[in-house]
Amino acid sequence: MKFDLEKDSISKLFFNFSFPAVVGMLISAFYVIVDGIFIGRGIGGDGLAAINIAYPVITLAISLSLMFGIGGATVISIKQAEGDILEVNKYFTHMVMLNVFSYLIITTFVLLFQNKIIVFLGSSSNLFQLVKQYMIPGIIFSIFFMLSISLNAVVRNDNSPNYAMLSMGIGAVTNVLLDALFIIKFNWGMTGAAYATGIAQMASAIFLFAYFFKKDSKIKLIKTSFDPKILKRILLNGFPSFILEFAVAIITILFNSTLMTLTGEIGVAAFSIIAYIFYVFRMIFNGLAQGIQPIVSYNFGAKKWARVKATLILGHKISLLVSIFILILVYFEGSIIVELFNGNLELVKLATRGLIIYSSAMIFLGANFINISFLQSMEEATFANLLSVGRSLVFITIGIFTLPTFIGVDGVWFSLPFADFMTFLTGIFLGIKNKNKIIK
């Protein structure tokens, strides 16, 4: 079913784009969660700690693919509204090439310096081999993860949100089945977990690539040379997405290092569980944010300013309702959710308290995701980058280096809520000061 982005009601478009995006993200989060449960139950707390240490390397690849995908898809939507199919295909081709070249550079670097990287990420000698067993296959397979993320953004923006959602479903089902086979039946441990995820992403990427070979698809790979202007536009528009995702890697490294000092490996394992659960929440808001992106971009290109503003308002209303629901769930059912990963009483107690604190600024987190996506969709890269860098680098760093000094381990958990609250205030300040520039 195709939608008229210029004439259909905003509520109808929001539901039809955000719902598949959120479901797709939840499916993606589901198999990440199941992956964690298999590791926690099949390998133990050390396995959870190891994957948390290894994952920043994979996150770097994912962050770049989001930058290329969201940055490219934003311009593609605008060019489609302008009717310029040649430019659409140029941007699409550049997006794919950027993913491939980045993958080759990252993989070569990781393979050459793998031992030094593992030490830099904060691994103890006890976890070293487990980290290595996950990181190396994970980075080799990361090209499929990268292409899946970038292609998914383009497919969704090409008026096919359900196809994009289905691609995530294929990856999720494949990953869960292979986790059970590789970790439980074959007892392949961390290597099995990495291969299960890699093969699942390969299945998703192949399915997405097939979309562009359909007869009715106007978006195609074409023969072209690198154009600096196209590269700049993709990177500027996608940079906020890169920062938001890469912040996860930075947060993970900082948190792992601090927790290893304050609590030892059990603290890292607790943070791993929190990160798994919080990933679900983050994916919900990511889905809502990605759902408004094609609506805003298309109507921005068509100069339909009232529809652009209405989309922002509706996005915030839905985000607020979702945030309240999540806060209630975490407060009353947090320990039950944590126990899915591991039954160690000390670990469950530490992770449950951490999860409640870590999630306390959920309302601001949701609002920040909507604001940043809205700004990206209109190519307001400067404002989007200010919010992204503020949240993901400046405020989180201030929090992690100051709060634990005063309140210990709780200060680690409060660092993210502090960053989201400060980013929200920054967004209000920028919105008031530049209202006429952002909303025509």
Side-chain angles (χ1 to χ4, degrees):
M1 179 181 178
K2 296 292 184 180
F3 305 101
D4 191 331
L5 289 163
E6 194 174 342
K7 296 180 180 179
D8 285 347
S9 71
I10 295 299
S11 57
K12 175 185 175 181
L13 290 172
F14 184 89
F15 176 81
N16 282 288
F17 278 90
S18 289
F19 181 75
V22 170
V23 171
M25 289 295 173
L26 284 176
I27 291 171
S28 176
F30 170 75
Y31 75 75
V32 170
I33 286 285
V34 170
D35 204 44
I37 292 173
F38 273 112
I39 292 170
R41 293 290 178 176
I43 301 172
D46 282 353
L48 288 170
I51 198 170
N52 205 42
I53 291 169
Y55 213 74
V57 174
I58 312 298
T59 302
L60 172 59
I62 294 172
S63 304
L64 289 168
S65 68
L66 272 171
M67 176 165 63
F68 306 146
I70 300 298
T74 297
V75 185
I76 286 171
S77 288
I78 293 171
K79 293 298 180 182
Q80 284 178 319
E82 295 172 354
D84 194 341
I85 193 63
L86 178 60
E87 285 293 296
V88 165
N89 289 331
K90 282 184 179 180
Y91 276 90
F92 177 65
T93 303
H94 275 71
M95 184 200 75
V96 173
M97 289 193 295
L98 283 168
N99 274 291
V100 174
F101 290 152
S102 298
Y103 163 77
L104 292 174
I105 294 170
I106 294 171
T107 303
T108 300
F109 184 80
V110 170
L111 293 178
L112 287 175
F113 303 103
Q114 52 189 273
N115 291 342
K116 292 181 179 180
I117 290 171
I118 292 171
V119 173
F120 172 77
L121 292 173
S123 174
S124 64
S125 57
N126 181 49
L127 298 175
F128 190 92
Q129 288 303 319
L130 288 175
V131 174
K132 194 171 189 176
Q133 288 167 14
Y134 188 87
M135 186 180 76
I136 300 306
I139 200 65
I140 290 172
F141 273 103
S142 64
I143 182 60
F144 300 111
F145 216 150
M146 295 176 75
L147 289 173
S148 291
I149 291 169
S150 288
L151 295 176
N152 193 284
V154 177
V155 170
R156 184 184 60 251
N157 281 22
D158 194 39
N159 230 334
S160 298
N162 292 325
Y163 192 98
M165 178 181 69
L166 183 58
S167 73
M168 292 186 171
I170 290 171
V173 173
T174 304
N175 196 87
V176 171
L177 293 176
L178 292 180
D179 265 339
L181 187 65
F182 293 169
I183 299 175
I184 305 301
K185 185 173 178 60
F186 294 164
N187 198 29
W188 287 354
M190 298 297 289
T191 303
Y195 274 106
T197 301
I199 294 171
Q201 288 301 323
M202 181 169 61
S204 181
I206 291 171
F207 181 75
L208 285 165
F209 252 121
Y211 175 88
F212 301 100
F213 289 93
K214 292 163 57 178
K215 289 182 179 180
D216 59 344
S217 176
K218 295 181 180 179
I219 303 178
K220 305 288 183 183
L221 288 171
I222 61 174
K223 187 176 180 180
T224 184
S225 57
F226 269 119
D227 185 331
K229 291 183 180 179
I230 291 178
L231 290 176
K232 181 180 178 181
R233 195 169 180 183
I234 290 175
L235 298 180
L236 281 176
N237 286 319
F239 187 71
S241 294
F242 169 82
I243 288 295
L244 282 176
E245 190 63 30
F246 189 60
V248 177
I250 296 172
I251 291 169
T252 301
I253 294 171
L254 291 174
F255 278 38
N256 285 343
S257 176
T258 306
L259 288 167
M260 195 70 81
T261 301
L262 293 174
T263 64
E265 291 168 359
I266 192 171
V268 178
F271 178 54
S272 180
I273 293 173
I274 293 169
Y276 270 115
I277 297 169
F278 204 79
Y279 181 78
V280 177
F281 305 151
R282 195 161 54 86
M283 288 300 100
I284 292 173
F285 294 117
N286 203 358
L288 290 173
Q290 290 188 20
I292 73 168
Q293 194 263 321
I295 307 171
V296 173
S297 290
Y298 191 96
N299 283 283
F300 178 76
K303 296 180 171 44
K304 300 288 184 178
W305 313 124
R307 291 174 63 81
V308 169
K309 187 175 181 179
T311 305
L312 174 66
I313 293 171
L314 182 58
H316 275 298
K317 287 180 179 178
I318 301 300
S319 174
L320 177 61
L321 292 175
V322 172
S323 299
I324 293 171
F325 173 78
I326 290 174
L327 286 171
I328 294 171
L329 178 67
V330 168
Y331 186 80
F332 289 104
E333 305 294 340
S335 62
I336 295 175
I337 299 172
V338 168
E339 285 176 9
L340 291 172
F341 293 86
N342 196 279
N344 182 288
L345 292 179
E346 184 182 1
L347 178 57
V348 169
K349 183 179 178 181
L350 181 61
T352 300
R353 178 172 176 79
L355 178 63
I356 292 172
I357 297 173
Y358 203 72
S359 305
S360 59
M362 193 66 63
I363 290 173
F364 303 117
L365 170 72
N368 291 334
F369 267 71
I370 294 294
N371 286 337
I372 291 169
S373 177
F374 176 75
L375 292 167
Q376 281 182 280
S377 302
M378 299 187 302
E379 296 194 282
E380 291 288 353
T382 301
F383 296 117
N385 287 332
L386 280 173
L387 293 182
S388 298
V389 172
R391 176 187 185 269
S392 307
L393 294 177
V394 179
F395 299 131
I396 193 71
T397 302
I398 293 172
I400 195 65
F401 280 112
T402 58
L403 296 179
T405 304
F406 299 102
I407 52 178
V409 177
D410 283 352
V412 178
W413 310 135
F414 269 118
S415 297
L416 185 68
F418 167 76
D420 274 313
F421 177 67
M422 293 303 297
T423 304
F424 179 75
L425 292 182
T426 304
I428 292 176
F429 173 76
L430 290 175
I432 293 173
K433 191 173 181 181
N434 301 279
K435 182 178 180 181
N436 292 331
K437 183 177 180 181
I438 295 173
I439 300 290
K440 306 294 186 200

